Amino acid sequence: MTENASGILPGTVRVRVAPSPTGDPHVGTAYMALFNLAFARNVGGRFLLRIEDTDRARFREDSEQQLYDMLHWLGLQWDEGPDIGGPCEPYRQSERLETYRPFVEQLIEQGNAYRCWCTPERLTQMREAQQKAKRPTGYDRLCYGKTAEQRATLPGFSEIPVVRMLVPKDAPIRFTDLIRGEVNAPMPDDQVILKADGFPTYHLAVVVDDHLMGITHVVRGEEWISSTPKHLLLYRWLGLDEPVFAHMPLLRNTDKSKISKRKNPAARLTWFAEQGYLPQALINFLALLGYPPIITTDDEGVVTEREMMTFEEFAERFDWSKVSSAGPIFDLKKLDWLNGTYIRELDRETFIDAIIPFCVRDEVFAEAPQGADREKLAAIAELIQTRLVLLSEAPGYVRPFFTAAADLQIADDARAQLKDGAAEVLTATIAALEPVDEWTTENIESAIRAAVIDGLELKPKVAFTPIRSAVSGVRISPPLFESMEILGRDETLTRLALLRDTL
Ligand code: GLU
């Protein structure tokens, strides 16, 4: 076996993504999953999904399923996880409570952790007093070294204790990061590791599970840098081997602020699916947020940069030294460009299948069209595939073709464009189209041009606007003559007459 780009023998790497099911899955989770998976595939390693559901106050029941759905949609498949099992089961932290207990006991016995009975009210008062006195905030160790009986004599006592780390003053605050090199993180506080509800906190659970699940590389978001010194202390106290750490830069809005679900709809993974982004476009976009485009040099030394890349191409080239440490700007314009390009690349049948759910959602039709209707949709698809940036734009184009003439609404902006003389244009068009023998785009176009451009001496824009409005009801539609061919003669003539009669 030979070493690969990352200098690691295949088969040795185990990485994970460890989301907390606290609501709609965050785009950052997909970003982390993508980079972890690309690395794992590059080195022939394993990619795990672990559900970190120890924060019961923020837990949301349906969130785990949404997470599976979105990661599946993106094609980011894990090798081990709560739904598919694996050698380190269970992969859901709430099912591992007994696993954490001995580690907590060991830390208490070794004197690295202690029980704390302070009520939340007392902790708030303490923090406020520290802030007022402009002293550093942090637990004041009131409970340290006391038995429950001794502590009970003091104010702010709660029956059920938590367990805290006893962080020494000389705790390690530097560590080496695969992306950032030497990192200086803040000195940790006496962090709680076991809560009063019997659940471990993230800090204890992540260390225990990463160890027990054989995680070799902890690849996670930059926001966890300040937690890493706590984790290093736990590894050290428990005598466990430390994994390699890699903290990916946070995704940022164009104003450089952190992407949050509260402020930015695009922080929610479901938003991308709803908008009609293709998963391969989103994967490509997320990869480019932390990784350079593919650069190739041909035989003549000409260098080309290619931004379009599949997951497989990304994974094949994955190399930590190329991962950016600068906060990438989440520029949806780039994603729109990628999406339009990927949409154009779809084969026709795939494109049709991709727009059907959007048309059903927007009630263009109730279910996937069959037979002649499918053929009609295929003809429309040919006209619109190159025009879409988002799949969700398809219903707007498709609707006029699946609406009965009598029900066709003329949009306000289309009606506003109708000038004096529109009725005359429509009358001339009807007269010109009636004798057309073979109903083809070419014949329709030449008949109309002869009648309204040559006959009425109108400019194309003036001439075609009322025709477009009558046929599609909208101002911007697929190509006009092609649309008329798809609609057929009777339907086209009916529509032209219907609008003319309202003028
Ligand atoms: N549960 C943490 C999260 O929600 C995981 C952090 C980590 O990867 O260590 O992001």
Side-chain angles (χ1 to χ4, degrees):
M1 274 194 250
T2 50
E3 283 184 354
N4 62 11
S6 303
I8 295 163
L9 285 174
T12 56
V13 164
R14 287 173 66 81
V15 290
R16 83 318 189 259
V17 68
S20 298
T22 55
D24 273 4
H26 194 282
V27 66
T29 300
Y31 183 54
M32 283 311 121
L34 172 64
F35 277 72
N36 272 289
L37 182 62
F39 173 47
R41 290 293 169 266
N42 181 267
V43 295
R46 305 266 288 174
F47 171 55
L48 283 66
L49 172 65
R50 184 172 69 225
I51 297 292
E52 300 208 328
D53 55 351
T54 57
D55 186 347
R56 303 315 280 177
R58 294 178 62 219
F59 175 76
R60 277 253 318 271
E61 184 78 46
D62 49 358
S63 183
E64 187 175 314
Q65 187 57 47
Q66 278 182 333
L67 197 79
Y68 296 157
D69 293 346
M70 293 321 295
L71 293 179
H72 282 145
W73 177 69
L74 286 165
L76 300 172
Q77 181 57 53
W78 45 101
D79 304 311
E80 299 170 26
D83 56 332
I84 53 170
C88 308
E89 279 181 311
Y91 291 87
R92 206 177 276 116
Q93 288 186 328
S94 59
E95 293 167 14
R96 300 172 62 80
L97 299 187
E98 290 312 313
T99 306
Y100 307 116
R101 235 170 272 282
F103 290 92
V104 176
E105 292 307 324
Q106 183 187 342
L107 291 170
I108 295 176
E109 261 163 46
Q110 289 174 184
N112 299 124
Y114 60 98
R115 291 194 172 80
C116 168
W117 294 266
C118 290
T119 56
E121 295 73 30
R122 169 170 194 270
L123 295 173
T124 308
Q125 280 167 8
M126 174 199 76
R127 207 170 311 112
E128 282 169 2
Q130 288 169 338
Q131 277 161 352
K132 218 162 147 197
K134 300 215 165 22
R135 276 187 288 130
T137 51
Y139 183 58
D140 61 4
R141 296 192 175 164
L142 177 67
C143 297
Y144 176 58
K146 296 190 175 64
T147 61
E149 294 73 32
Q150 288 166 334
R151 176 61 182 84
T153 60
L154 301 169
F157 175 82
S158 129
E159 288 293 333
I160 306 170
V162 302
V163 176
R164 288 182 182 275
M165 293 168 72
L166 180 65
V167 176
K169 287 283 159 280
D170 59 352
I173 53 172
R174 280 171 78 81
F175 65 93
T176 309
D177 186 280
L178 201 51
I179 304 173
R180 296 154 195 273
E182 287 294 297
V183 175
N184 262 324
M187 180 74 164
D189 182 19
D190 279 3
Q191 177 69 53
V192 173
I193 51 173
L194 188 71
K195 293 181 278 186
D197 62 5
F199 277 73
T201 57
Y202 157 70
H203 303 288
L204 180 77
V206 78
V207 167
V208 169
D209 287 345
D210 282 343
H211 163 66
L212 293 177
M213 296 183 181
I215 299 301
T216 53
H217 295 68
V218 169
V219 180
R220 60 184 169 199
E222 182 185 353
E223 70 269 38
W224 301 104
I225 287 182
S226 60
S227 300
T228 305
K230 297 171 199 170
H231 303 171
L232 289 173
L233 269 178
L234 291 171
Y235 278 106
R236 197 163 298 180
W237 289 339
L238 294 167
L240 311 175
D241 286 341
E242 292 162 15
V244 174
F245 289 96
H247 291 91
M248 295 286 298
L250 277 184
L251 306 179
R252 298 193 181 274
N253 292 307
T254 31
D255 67 359
K256 301 263 164 81
S257 60
K258 179 181 160 183
I259 298 226
S260 82
K261 286 193 278 187
R262 263 178 303 118
K263 291 205 210 118
N264 188 343
R268 291 187 299 112
L269 271 178
T270 46
W271 181 84
F272 294 92
E274 285 158 14
Q275 292 296 305
Y277 287 104
L278 289 171
Q280 55 270 46
L282 183 55
I283 288 286
N284 196 153
F285 175 66
L286 292 175
L288 288 176
L289 287 176
Y291 210 80
I294 297 175
I295 305 205
T296 41
T297 313
D298 70 10
D299 295 345
E300 272 130 46
V302 179
V303 178
T304 31
E305 209 184 77
R306 174 157 64 90
E307 292 195 300
M308 302 270 293
M309 58 174 128
T310 60
F311 170 77
E312 287 70 26
E313 288 176 305
F314 174 47
E316 207 174 284
R317 285 169 177 76
F318 192 86
D319 175 355
W320 281 113
S321 70
K322 295 211 177 108
V323 175
S324 151
S325 64
I329 302 293
F330 204 74
D331 178 8
L332 288 177
K333 280 200 221 82
K334 168 63 78 53
L335 176 59
D336 286 348
W337 171 77
L338 283 167
N339 206 54
T341 312
Y342 276 102
I343 287 178
R344 286 194 288 283
E345 283 191 353
L346 294 178
D347 66 61
R348 188 59 40 72
E349 292 304 308
T350 309
F351 174 69
I352 297 168
D353 289 335
I355 61 175
I356 286 173
F358 290 88
C359 293
V360 170
R361 181 185 75 181
D362 289 1
E363 298 176 350
V364 172
F365 32 69
E367 54 189 39
Q370 308 289 335
D373 277 347
R374 168 103 187 176
E375 276 166 36
K376 179 158 86 170
L377 186 59
I380 303 163
E382 193 181 333
L383 301 185
I384 66 173
Q385 187 167 356
T386 53
R387 300 179 164 234
L388 299 192
V389 170
L390 300 173
L391 295 174
S392 58
E393 294 160 359
Y397 287 115
V398 176
R399 188 184 307 280
F401 294 93
F402 282 86
T403 305
D407 296 333
L408 190 74
Q409 305 278 341
I410 310 293
D412 291 346
D413 60 348
R415 195 174 279 283
Q417 284 213 321
L418 298 176
K419 303 247 163 30
D420 289 347
E424 198 186 355
V425 168
L426 294 172
T427 303
T429 306
I430 293 167
L433 290 178
E434 265 164 355
V436 169
D437 276 343
E438 217 191 321
W439 191 254
T440 61
T441 298
E442 297 71 35
N443 292 349
I444 296 166
E445 178 166 2
S446 54
I448 293 179
R449 282 186 186 277
V452 294
I453 300 201
D454 305 338
L456 299 178
E457 296 183 357
L458 295 174
K459 292 211 172 67
K461 188 170 181 311
V462 181
F464 297 153
T465 298
I467 305 175
R468 185 184 302 283
S469 301
V471 166
S472 66
V474 290
R475 205 163 60 82
I476 298 169
S477 73
L480 180 58
F481 308 118
E482 284 84 347
S483 300
M484 293 165 104
E485 182 186 328
I486 294 173
L487 280 171
R489 181 201 309 268
D490 292 350
E491 184 65 27
T492 303
L493 292 173
T494 308
R495 289 179 185 213
L496 292 166
L498 271 175
L499 179 59
R500 184 203 48 201
D501 295 346
T502 68
L503 295 172

